[in-house]
Amino acid sequence: MASFERASPALKEILLRIYNAEKPIEVDHHLYEFGSVEYHIKSSVSEPQVTYLSISTPFLSQGVFLSYGLSPFTLKMVRQISTDVLHIVEPANDGYQLTLRLDFSKLPHNKESLKIITEVSSVQAVILSSQLKEMLQNVNSGDSSQGMYKPIKLIYHPKEPFYVIRQPQKIVAVFPMRFKDNSDVIIATSFFQELMDVVSLKKWAKVPPCNWSPIPPLELRGEPFEDLSTNGGFVSFDISSHHVEGKRLDKTVWSLLNFYAYVKHHVKCTRGFIQRRMRKRLDNLVEVLEKSRVEDGQIKKVQGWKKMRKMVGSKSKMIKRRWGDLGKKIKRIRFRIKIHGFARFRRRWLKMPSFSSSTGYTKLQTNGNNK
């Protein structure tokens, strides 16, 4: 669920409906979300104040965390949501990584209850962010057994992996960028270049340094080709110990997990802005053309009537003269050579057109007996 909201809206709605119910209700609901995330919410009439919530979510890194499940650090972060309302059930239900027992009777009867339920609905984001927090907290660690200089592939959004590379005194996060449309590639490339220019200013000296390159960095050498085949280049951020101190850790982790979503949101808004400007510009041009057309029509109607009349008369005389010459040539040919059926052809296809002229003309009478 790579989005700007940490809490799941659907899960939050179900938990609020159970909590605000006037009488106990029976709930046994499976909820599926994008990214292979599954929730199982169960509440019974016999135990109305207790609701069981089971979560199944892919791990950020299959190689590091899947071998032994959720780490103690992750379980600690989950318990910190609410120690009174939330309790971890061990072992978890089959097919799920975590099962929680929610005691709604411990919820305060004020606005604080909505806040706690919202935090419970964000438990999937807590699980994933805690895994990245555990990596970033060891930024100054020199233990080579934890994967020194070896890229760790993390997947927060399907088909959009990014890499975390531990280096001395810093951790580098690398994002391979892919886009479907060529126009999105142009907008995103311009955004990355502008981002690098802004980060280089003294005003933003404390933010993580940003770099963009059309080719993969050397640290990703040896990774699968399908992960490195991109059309938007590679964006990297250098995370130092200064960026993971205190409350900055949570903000840094959430920004890294949602970097893809931020870029797509920016590209979509920029494309919409450009399209609106183009439509507005087109409407202004059409309005100017329509206005000029109306003004030109009025001038021609008032001032150019006599001139247009003379022009039409002269054109009609020219056409009559040309057709007259053609008719004379055809007659000379008819007088010299007798062709069977040519008279019918001439009457049908070579008939003299009639013209209307303001000056008028007199039709000449020809004698057809001269043979």
Side-chain angles (χ1 to χ4, degrees), residues 330 334 338-352:
I330 292 173
R334 187 188 65 176
K338 189 74 173 179
I339 301 176
H340 181 72
F342 187 76
R344 186 185 307 167
F345 174 83
R346 182 176 64 83
R347 287 194 303 269
R348 183 175 182 182
W349 299 104
L350 300 178
K351 185 178 179 181
M352 292 292 294

Side-chain angles (χ1 to χ4, degrees), residues 227-239:
D227 294 340
L228 303 182
S229 58
T230 66
N231 57 359
F234 297 81
V235 181
S236 60
F237 295 94
D238 296 340
I239 311 299

Side-chain angles (χ1 to χ4, degrees), residues 15 18 41-43 48-53 100-102 104:
L15 295 179
I18 296 174
I41 307 99
K42 188 174 183 180
S43 178
Q49 298 296 331
V50 176
T51 299
Y52 290 92
L53 173 63
L100 303 178
R101 183 179 183 273
L102 306 178
F104 286 156

Side-chain angles (χ1 to χ4, degrees), residues 55 59 65 68-83 86-92 96-100 123 126-131 133-134:
I55 305 101
F59 291 100
F65 297 100
Y68 56 88
L70 296 179
S71 65
F73 180 79
T74 301
L75 297 178
K76 177 182 177 182
M77 296 296 296
V78 173
R79 290 190 182 97
Q80 288 179 356
I81 295 176
S82 178
T83 56
L86 184 147
H87 302 279
I88 298 177
V89 178
E90 295 181 357
Y96 298 92
Q97 284 91 15
L98 182 66
T99 299
L100 303 178
V123 62
V126 172
I127 294 174
L128 295 183
S129 61
S130 64
Q131 299 174 11
K133 286 180 181 179
E134 195 170 2

Side-chain angles (χ1 to χ4, degrees), residues 222-321:
E223 295 299 319
F225 177 76
E226 57 272 13
D227 294 340
L228 303 182
S229 58
T230 66
N231 57 359
F234 297 81
V235 181
S236 60
F237 295 94
D238 296 340
I239 311 299
S240 61
S241 58
H242 171 74
H243 305 122
V244 295
E245 294 177 352
K247 296 182 179 180
R248 296 175 184 171
L249 175 63
D250 186 68
K251 187 175 182 179
T252 301
V253 168
W254 193 245
S255 298
L256 292 176
L257 291 178
N258 287 277
F259 180 71
Y260 280 117
Y262 282 122
V263 173
K264 289 184 176 181
H265 178 72
H266 174 80
V267 171
K268 183 178 179 180
C269 293
T270 304
R271 186 173 62 244
F273 173 75
I274 294 174
Q275 292 174 353
R276 288 193 301 270
R277 290 295 300 270
M278 292 175 64
R279 294 192 193 101
K280 186 177 180 180
R281 180 63 175 167
L282 179 61
D283 293 341
N284 293 337
L285 291 176
V286 171
E287 185 178 353
V288 171
L289 292 175
E290 291 291 341
K291 186 176 180 180
S292 62
R293 184 180 301 175
V294 172
E295 293 177 353
D296 293 344
Q298 292 176 354
I299 294 173
K300 288 180 180 179
K301 185 175 180 181
V302 175
Q303 300 179 358
W305 171 249
K306 294 183 180 180
K307 187 176 180 180
M308 292 296 292
R309 186 176 180 182
K310 292 180 181 180
M311 191 180 296
V312 172
S314 61
K315 286 186 177 181
S316 63
K317 291 180 181 180
M318 186 183 300
I319 295 174
K320 279 197 302 180
R321 185 165 55 251

Side-chain angles (χ1 to χ4, degrees), residues 14-40:
I14 294 174
L15 295 179
L16 285 176
R17 186 179 64 182
I18 296 174
Y19 175 69
N20 295 326
E22 297 181 356
K23 58 181 180 179
I25 57 176
E26 190 82 18
V27 176
D28 191 357
H29 187 75
H30 289 267
L31 176 63
Y32 300 90
E33 289 187 345
F34 186 71
S36 302
V37 180
E38 180 184 356
Y39 300 98
H40 181 208

